Amino acid sequence: MAVCPYCSGGQIDNGYRDCASCGGSGQGSHMNQACMACGGSGTGARDTITCWNCHGAGTVPDPSPVRGSAPAKRGAKPAKARQQAAAHSSAKQWSAGNYIFFGVTYLLSLGYLSDNSELEGWPLYLVPLIPAGIVGSYWKQLFVIALIIGGLYIWGSSQN
């Protein structure tokens, strides 16, 4: 068992409660007289709440080590926090180039569809989002593929 990392002992201090006798005013039953229960401070007993992590026990089970993994380092993030951080960092952030290629592809697709299809209304503006999203996300990879195909075409035409 390990000490709970959130409460260090089972109870979380929530400050002082108002005095039950004077309601937190510090005034007694007669004017200009301090409350007898709290001595005029207006505060009563300390208010503590039960820890949500250990449910007041003060300890939590030791995390079982994963087979083949190194022992956890002091100050290391819990596994769940590491997973959330990895999910955040793996989210692809778009650069200016992504937005430029998205816009150009959207406008080219919209122009082509408006001239060569029977789409009308909102589908005409919605359908070009599909190729624009793909090109906007993968424009670097598509550019490399286009260079390879172009190079193979030039190489093939020089062989004849």
Side-chain angles (χ1 to χ4, degrees), residues 141-158:
Q141 293 89 341
L142 294 171
F143 185 72
V144 169
I145 291 170
L147 285 176
I148 292 171
I149 291 172
L152 290 174
Y153 177 76
I154 292 170
W155 178 74
S157 63
S158 70

Side-chain angles (χ1 to χ4, degrees), residues 80-145:
K80 189 171 186 177
R82 284 194 307 270
Q83 289 171 348
Q84 289 173 343
H88 257 319
S89 66
S90 67
K92 202 174 196 182
Q93 298 294 320
W94 275 28
S95 65
N98 293 90
Y99 288 109
I100 290 169
F101 276 94
F102 176 86
V104 169
T105 306
Y106 179 79
L107 292 174
L108 289 173
S109 300
L110 182 63
Y112 178 81
L113 287 175
S114 63
D115 291 342
N116 299 316
S117 74
E118 297 179 14
L119 291 175
E120 294 179 1
W122 64 268
L124 178 63
Y125 299 100
L126 186 65
V127 169
L129 290 174
I130 297 168
I134 293 170
V135 171
S137 295
Y138 301 106
W139 67 273
K140 291 178 184 175
Q141 293 89 341
L142 294 171
F143 185 72
V144 169
I145 291 170

Side-chain angles (χ1 to χ4, degrees), residues 2-5 7-11 54-60:
V3 174
C4 178
C7 69
S8 301
Q11 298 291 319
C54 66
H55 306 290
T59 57
V60 292

Side-chain angles (χ1 to χ4, degrees), residues 32-50:
N32 298 331
Q33 182 184 8
C35 174
M36 301 276 293
C38 65
S41 68
T43 57
R46 291 201 66 81
D47 188 22
T48 56
I49 55 176
T50 303

